Amino acid sequence: ILIVDDDDSVRDVISVLLREEGYNCVVANGAEMALDVAGEEETPLVISDMKMPGRDGLWLLENLRERLPDTSVIMLTGYGDTESAVDCLRRGAVDYLLKPPKLTDLIRAIERALAKRRIEMARKRYQKKLEGKVRDRTAELRSALHNIANTYQNTLLALVAALDAREHETSDHSQRVVSYTSAIASRMGIHGKQMEEIGRGALLHDIGKIGVPDAVLLKPGKLTPDEWLEMRRHPEIGFQMIQNIPFLSTPADIVLSHQERFDGAGYPRNLQRNEIHIGARIFAVADTLDAMTSDRPYRKGTTFANAIQEIKRCANTQFDPDVVKAFLDIGEEGLIRIKKEMAEKKLNPMQAAADAAEAETELARLTDLDDEPDHTPVGPSSAATATALATPPVAIRSASGTEG
């Protein structure tokens, strides 16, 4: 016990009495000396006079609270100064006694203070142990979420691969559309979870074609009016397939709306302007760009310059003008670079695998943030992951909005 008082006789009397009671005591004649002693010694309890020359007991209390928060403090005060003593209690002292204290009152105050300190120390040890367990469980939960994220991603890519195999398409259309869509969305200030959901919607946009009969989907010639009606059901089929999967609820809206037009002339619901999900409005531009610049069995793809001009011409009719503006900001070179990078990753599977690993590392980093933990799994907006794991379907769409 550290006894602090500028009066030698008071210090001596209290220290002698407490030693007789079995306590080990050290003394200090001022607040600054007391702070130094408390810092050097293991001092569970300090008994300090309230008023001392220079630094007073209140200064000592505040510094002990800040530097040695596990040290308990009992304040000694003279008659007429009880208001200051009560203020000390508000500031963290465990008790106060009037000078000169009675031995029985002093011993009881010491026992109460030490008992309270033991309880507080035990609480802190328990809290620390509990925090350790929480960290361990959190790490296990992150691992589980990571595995679930991989399962989600692989499931999405398996669905796309199934459609690809059915349509005999090997052009990486879906992955490129995801990359174009993500680039435009980024230019529009879209990031995080919203970007992930838009990426998933872009990847799954034609998943409803699984429900279109082969005779219609794979027909080499021109479709009849009835066959066009059947083909136009694929957005609704895709929506019905995935709408009840919780993490695909927003992508489902994009799938349902991906054939809508800004002027309301699209299908299946003739939505217009902001009635169309922003992800679908962005996708419409990305999809048209890829359809126009990709080779098809019945025609050669056009140049990026021509496709850009056509999309620009169709702003306010087929496309959202704000989306077109963001698209134009990327520039022809930027769009060509996206396609080139996709092709290089397809030719370099080791690099694609490395990019996928990098995406997983980014997922781990994001789960460490905490604030909107964003435990959102890395979604199809990661073009590298999509490239490494699946071959996409193709959607043939012209700037005029027709498809087949």
Side-chain angles (χ1 to χ4, degrees), residues 176-204:
R176 287 196 303 273
V177 169
V178 168
S179 294
Y180 294 140
T181 298
S182 298
I184 298 170
S186 180
R187 289 275 177 167
M188 298 182 71
I190 296 173
H191 302 286
K193 183 178 180 181
Q194 188 179 13
M195 175 76 84
E196 298 290 344
E197 290 178 333
I198 290 174
R200 291 191 189 102
L203 183 70
L204 297 173

Side-chain angles (χ1 to χ4, degrees), residues 272-339:
Q272 59 182 324
R273 298 182 177 273
N274 292 339
E275 294 175 348
I276 307 169
H277 191 284
I278 182 61
R281 283 179 270 153
I282 295 172
F283 165 82
V285 172
D287 185 42
T288 299
L289 173 72
D290 192 66
M292 294 183 68
T293 57
S294 299
D295 293 337
R296 294 290 184 259
Y298 49 86
R299 63 153 174 82
K300 292 287 290 182
T302 189
T303 64
F304 273 81
N306 288 340
I308 290 170
Q309 288 303 314
E310 179 67 7
I311 290 171
K312 183 178 179 180
R313 185 184 68 81
C314 293
N316 278 310
T317 54
Q318 185 173 346
F319 306 121
D320 183 337
D322 292 334
V323 175
V324 173
K325 181 179 182 300
F327 165 76
L328 296 175
D329 286 344
I330 299 173
E332 181 179 354
E333 291 184 4
L335 296 168
I336 292 174
R337 184 167 56 251
I338 292 173
K339 184 171 184 177

Side-chain angles (χ1 to χ4, degrees), residues 139-158:
E140 293 174 4
L141 179 60
R142 284 200 189 106
S143 177
L145 288 173
H146 181 68
N147 291 336
I148 292 172
N150 284 339
T151 301
Y152 285 168
Q153 180 74 352
N154 291 337
T155 300
L156 298 184
L157 294 168

Side-chain angles (χ1 to χ4, degrees), residues 229-249:
L229 290 176
E230 187 69 32
M231 178 66 77
R232 289 189 172 209
R233 291 181 57 243
H234 78 271
E236 295 174 286
I237 295 172
F239 176 76
Q240 295 296 329
M241 287 174 61
I242 65 175
Q243 65 168 326
N244 293 324
I245 302 174
F247 83 106
L248 293 180
S249 58

Side-chain angles (χ1 to χ4, degrees), residues 108-126:
R108 289 194 190 99
I110 291 172
E111 290 175 349
R112 287 194 301 268
L114 294 177
K116 183 178 179 180
R117 180 179 181 274
R118 283 192 294 270
I119 292 172
E120 182 64 19
M121 295 293 288
R123 185 192 67 80
K124 288 183 177 180
R125 287 193 298 270
Y126 175 77

Side-chain angles (χ1 to χ4, degrees), residues 15-217:
S15 62
V16 168
L17 291 174
L18 292 183
R19 286 191 181 100
E20 289 179 355
E21 294 294 327
Y23 292 105
N24 179 32
C25 298
V26 292
V27 296
N29 61 11
E32 293 179 342
M33 178 182 177
L35 193 61
D36 292 337
V37 173
E40 296 172 359
E41 304 280 345
E42 184 178 349
T43 308
L45 178 63
V46 173
I47 300 174
S48 175
D49 190 13
M50 182 72 179
K51 288 187 176 180
M52 294 179 287
R55 305 290 191 181
D56 61 9
L58 185 60
W59 179 89
L60 176 61
L61 172 64
E62 290 176 344
N63 280 270
L64 287 172
R65 292 293 86 204
E66 180 180 348
R67 302 185 193 181
L68 302 168
D70 294 332
T71 298
S72 298
V73 180
I74 296 175
M75 302 301 296
L76 299 178
T77 182
Y79 286 102
D81 199 25
T82 54
E83 184 177 343
S84 298
V86 172
D87 186 46
C88 287
L89 295 179
R90 295 193 188 100
R91 294 171 183 260
V94 296
D95 209 343
Y96 77 93
L97 297 171
L98 296 177
K99 295 175 64 176
K102 294 180 181 179
L103 178 59
T104 53
D105 292 341
L106 181 59
I107 295 300
R108 289 194 190 99
I110 291 172
E111 290 175 349
R112 287 194 301 268
L114 294 177
K116 183 178 179 180
R117 180 179 181 274
R118 283 192 294 270
I119 292 172
E120 182 64 19
M121 295 293 288
R123 185 192 67 80
K124 288 183 177 180
R125 287 193 298 270
Y126 175 77
Q127 182 177 355
K128 187 175 181 180
K129 184 178 180 180
L130 186 61
E131 288 172 352
K133 288 185 177 180
V134 170
R135 283 193 298 269
D136 292 342
R137 295 296 183 270
T138 300
E140 293 174 4
L141 179 60
R142 284 200 189 106
S143 177
L145 288 173
H146 181 68
N147 291 336
I148 292 172
N150 284 339
T151 301
Y152 285 168
Q153 180 74 352
N154 291 337
T155 300
L156 298 184
L157 294 168
L159 287 170
V160 173
L163 180 61
D164 168 59
R166 184 166 179 241
E167 290 193 277
H168 312 295
E169 178 56 56
T170 58
S171 65
D172 294 323
H173 165 75
S174 289
Q175 284 91 336
R176 287 196 303 273
V177 169
V178 168
S179 294
Y180 294 140
T181 298
S182 298
I184 298 170
S186 180
R187 289 275 177 167
M188 298 182 71
I190 296 173
H191 302 286
K193 183 178 180 181
Q194 188 179 13
M195 175 76 84
E196 298 290 344
E197 290 178 333
I198 290 174
R200 291 191 189 102
L203 183 70
L204 297 173
H205 67 278
D206 270 345
I207 198 66
K209 287 185 177 179
I210 290 177
V212 177
D214 286 349
V216 175
L217 184 67

